[in-house]
């Protein structure tokens, strides 16, 4: 049976309740200008920060969003929508405004990553697609930055992304991992599409194909000017001696160079130390030792603290779906991004702050701006009309105006990566740590707090003490 790849239908990239909500809005005549904040309440992996990514995919979704005739026919089959409502959907395009933190920015919990203002039906229909685009990429970029940070303790060690075979969205993972600091990808399609460095080694199956490990090593060494040998198919301690013999002979006869050896299993600490000793004895000091095999930032830290002689890492599963650590009780796999209504302007021009009251999930109403202290001492979230704090940097950038992407809002991936690495270097060490002992200070202005109380009073609900700041 032939498998047909699913087609991309931008208008159907939503949950069922989004067109249902739009229909209620249409029937009731409520479609005022509405502002939504996209943010997350906690930082992933027990950390203190988020590395923002996914804006390019989010804007592609916004620009593509529309309903085809077949989409509308499908909607009419699953819901008894009025034909006039479907006619409106046929012509619906995003006409609003989007402000966002540029890709490569550092964000903290409860700070809006994106602010969307548009007629209610436009804004609500985009919710799920925006959350998916920003949430997944930010999760992976943050994970990659943590892994690179763990690997670079003491000196620079390159991290290669090897996640394709286990990634839920391989192209997104490759792109976001590069933003987070990974040096290369194993996925050729991503290397082609995003112009990324492509790297790889060899599989165990290739070694096993030959009668002996030594024959396999010779075949690889003869095929490439620079090559990597996999040592853990049988016995790493025996394999390194064969690898050294092959390296010395092919260097002399062909000028081919052993660039690295890889360990994918076993006792990575003891084996890497032994292998480094043998390589150095053979005057092969430039040969790198690459480690892979279900590694993450915590395991890398343990290896290096124990003295493992590892020069670089290949990371697959942990990046493929932004894994946490079951052993440490740290959740992963998804970023809890939310998209909450915070402001509404009715057809008469009356403005209303919008709030949800739900304990720790209570929202902050109002159109907001975020400002950062130049020395990263604090961030201030305030109402858009409040004065700019002197000396602080505004974080939001206009991305879309009147439905059109602002020129310069989508820089090349190389510039995004450079911005990300600059921001990570500026991030104070106590917040970059894998296990931070304190949260970055994010303060809500007096004006914002007053508006929150006012919004609660308008709907007749009192805020608890824990919900006022």
């Amino acid at each position: 049976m032939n498998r047909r790849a699913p087609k991309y239908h931008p208008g159907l990239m939503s949950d069922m309740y989004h067109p249902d909500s739009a229909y209620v809005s249409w029937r009731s005549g409520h479609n005022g200008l509405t502002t939504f904040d996209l943010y997350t309440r906690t930082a992933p992996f027990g950390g203190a920060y988020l590395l923002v990514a996914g804006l390019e995919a989010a804007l592609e979704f916004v620009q593509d969003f529309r309903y085809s005739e077949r989409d509308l026919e499908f909607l009419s089959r699953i819901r008894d929508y009025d034909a006039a409502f479907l006619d409106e959907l046929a012509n619906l395009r995003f006409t609003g405004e989007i402000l966002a933190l540029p890709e490569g920015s550092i964000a903290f919990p409860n700070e809006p990553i994106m602010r969307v203002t548009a007629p209610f039906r436009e804004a609500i229909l985009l919710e799920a697609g925006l959350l998916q685009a920003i949430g997944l990429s930010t999760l992976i970029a943050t994970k990659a930055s943590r892994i690179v940070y763990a690997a670079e303790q003491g000196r620079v060690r390159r991290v290669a992304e090897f996640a394709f075979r286990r990634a839920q969205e391989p192209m997104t993972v490759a792109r976001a991992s590069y933003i987070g600091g990974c040096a290369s990808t194993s996925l050729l399609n991503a290397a082609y599409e995003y112009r990324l460095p492509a790297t790889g080694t060899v599989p165990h199956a290739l070694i096993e194909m030959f009668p002996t490990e030594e024959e396999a090593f010779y075949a690889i060494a003869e095929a490439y000017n620079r090559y990597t040998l996999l040592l853990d198919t049988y016995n790493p301690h025996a394999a390194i001696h064969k690898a050294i013999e092959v390296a010395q002979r092919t260097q002399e006869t062909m000028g081919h160079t052993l660039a690295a050896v890889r360990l994918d299993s076993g006792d990575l600490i003891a084996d890497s130390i032994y292998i480094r000793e043998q390589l150095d004895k053979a005057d092969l000091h430039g040969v790198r030792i690459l480690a892979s095999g279900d590694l993450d930032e915590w395991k890398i830290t343990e290896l290096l603290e124990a003295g493992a002689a590892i020069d670089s890492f290949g990371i697959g599963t942990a990046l493929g779906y932004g894994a946490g650590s079951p052993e440490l009780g740290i959740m992963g796999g998804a970023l809890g991004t939310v998209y909450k209504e915070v402001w509404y302007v009715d057809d008469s021009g009356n403005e209303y702050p919008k709030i949800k009251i739900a304990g720790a999930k209570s929202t902050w109403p109002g159109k907001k701006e975020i400002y950062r202290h130049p020395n990263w001492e604090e961030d201030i979230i305030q109402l858009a009309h409040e004065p700019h704090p002197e000396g602080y940097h505004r974080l939001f950038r206009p991305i879309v105006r009147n439905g059109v992407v602002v020129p310069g809002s989508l820089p090349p991936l190389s510039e995004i990566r450079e911005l990300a690495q600059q921001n990570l270097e500026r991030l104070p060490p106590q917040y970059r740590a894998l296990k931070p002992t304190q949260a970055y200070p994010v303060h809500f202005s007096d004006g914002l707090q007053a508006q929150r109380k006012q919004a609660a009073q308008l709907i007749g609900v009192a805020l608890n003490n824990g919900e006022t700041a």
Side-chain angles (χ1 to χ4, degrees):
M1 182 177 69
N2 294 328
R3 290 184 59 188
R4 181 172 58 87
K7 292 183 178 179
Y8 176 50
H9 298 261
L12 301 182
M13 292 299 288
S14 70
D15 295 318
M16 187 69 233
Y17 79 176
H18 293 114
D20 280 353
S21 298
Y23 186 56
V24 174
S25 162
W26 179 82
R27 285 180 56 88
S28 64
H30 291 85
N31 193 35
L33 203 63
T34 312
T35 297
F36 285 82
D37 285 345
L38 188 155
Y39 62 97
T40 182
R41 300 185 181 97
T42 58
F45 316 116
Y49 71 93
L50 303 96
L51 180 59
V52 177
L55 183 60
E56 183 174 294
L59 293 188
E60 287 177 355
F61 169 69
V62 171
Q63 292 178 296
D64 290 345
F65 192 87
R66 65 198 62 207
Y67 292 92
S68 68
E69 289 186 13
R70 288 189 176 183
D71 297 339
L72 296 173
E73 180 185 351
F74 170 73
L75 288 177
S76 69
R77 292 201 308 268
I78 63 173
R79 276 286 193 272
D80 188 22
Y81 294 133
D82 192 292
F85 170 66
L86 296 176
D87 289 341
E88 178 181 296
L89 292 186
N91 297 307
L92 187 143
R93 303 291 186 272
F94 184 77
T95 62
E97 171 193 71
I98 297 178
L99 281 72
L101 302 185
E103 287 194 274
S105 299
I106 299 293
F108 300 99
N110 296 310
E111 292 183 339
I113 296 172
M114 177 179 285
R115 192 183 92 190
V116 178
T117 301
F120 178 84
R121 291 197 280 281
E122 294 178 23
I124 196 67
L125 287 168
L126 293 178
E127 175 180 1
L130 293 176
L131 287 170
Q132 195 277 337
I134 299 295
L136 177 59
S137 287
T138 297
L139 177 78
I140 301 302
T142 305
K143 184 69 173 181
S145 73
R146 289 168 56 86
I147 291 172
V148 170
Y149 175 76
E152 291 186 344
Q153 296 302 303
R155 63 181 176 89
V156 174
R157 296 178 179 86
R158 292 162 61 91
V159 175
E161 174 265 308
F162 286 177
F164 173 42
R165 64 189 61 190
R166 295 190 176 95
Q168 296 181 22
E169 285 202 12
M171 297 292 285
T172 298
V173 168
R175 183 181 183 276
S177 295
Y178 189 67
I179 292 172
C182 288
S184 60
T185 179
S186 65
L187 176 55
L188 291 176
N189 195 42
Y192 173 83
E193 185 70 22
Y194 302 129
R195 300 298 183 263
L196 306 182
T199 55
T201 59
V202 297
H204 293 99
L206 180 62
I207 306 298
E208 294 168 0
M209 183 180 71
F210 290 86
T212 67
E213 191 172 42
E214 186 176 22
E215 290 178 73
F217 287 176
Y218 269 116
I220 295 167
E222 291 170 354
Y224 301 106
N225 181 52
R226 290 179 59 83
Y227 57 94
T228 298
L229 296 177
L230 180 60
L231 301 184
D232 70 317
T233 306
Y234 307 115
N235 183 323
H237 287 223
I240 186 57
H241 293 287
K242 299 172 188 175
I244 289 171
E245 180 182 347
V246 168
Q248 292 172 331
R249 184 173 299 178
T250 53
Q251 178 68 52
E252 180 179 346
T253 59
M254 305 179 68
H256 291 187
T257 301
L258 175 62
V261 294
R262 178 164 74 101
L263 292 169
D264 190 56
S265 61
D267 187 339
L268 295 180
I269 299 170
D271 290 347
S272 66
I273 292 172
Y274 179 82
I275 289 166
R276 181 78 269 160
E277 290 174 349
Q278 305 313 307
L279 288 169
D280 289 346
K281 287 179 182 178
D283 200 26
L284 295 174
H285 304 286
V287 178
R288 295 176 294 109
I289 299 176
L290 166 68
S292 58
D294 295 325
L295 300 177
D296 58 24
E297 62 265 48
W298 299 287
K299 293 176 183 176
I300 289 173
T301 298
E302 291 177 2
L303 288 171
L304 297 180
E305 287 181 348
I310 297 172
D311 303 296
S312 56
F313 295 92
I315 309 297
T317 303
L319 282 173
Y321 65 97
S325 173
E327 300 90 343
L328 299 176
I330 296 174
M331 297 294 292
L335 187 65
T337 44
V338 295
Y339 184 80
K340 297 299 181 183
E341 183 182 13
V342 296
W343 194 252
Y344 185 80
V345 183
D346 66 19
D347 293 336
S348 300
N350 300 309
E351 300 184 12
Y352 302 93
K354 294 297 180 179
I355 189 172
K356 172 185 175 182
I357 306 294
K361 292 186 176 182
S362 297
T363 60
W364 289 87
K367 297 180 74 171
K368 306 174 190 68
E369 291 282 355
I370 314 166
Y371 296 94
R372 177 162 295 159
H373 188 278
N375 296 325
W376 296 68
E377 293 180 5
E378 66 171 354
D379 285 5
I380 298 175
I381 304 177
Q382 62 181 52
L383 296 171
H385 66 262
E386 292 185 89
H388 184 149
E390 186 176 353
Y392 282 56
H393 303 308
R394 183 189 185 213
L395 299 189
F396 267 153
R397 297 289 181 271
I399 305 298
V400 175
R401 289 196 186 104
N402 300 320
V404 179
V405 174
V406 175
S409 298
L410 297 173
L413 183 56
S414 59
E415 292 184 14
I416 295 171
R417 174 186 168 88
E418 183 178 356
L419 175 64
Q421 299 314 303
Q422 290 174 351
N423 281 324
L424 289 165
E425 289 175 6
R426 293 172 185 153
L427 181 63
Q430 64 267 35
Y431 310 118
R432 186 85 195 269
L434 299 183
K435 299 178 181 179
T437 58
Q438 57 184 310
Y440 181 85
V442 176
H443 298 136
F444 297 91
S445 70
D446 292 342
L448 184 53
Q449 297 202 45
Q451 181 164 272
R452 196 185 202 204
K453 292 179 181 179
Q454 177 190 6
Q457 291 170 355
L458 286 174
I459 59 174
V461 177
L463 288 165
N464 296 324
N465 290 335
E467 298 167 341
T468 60

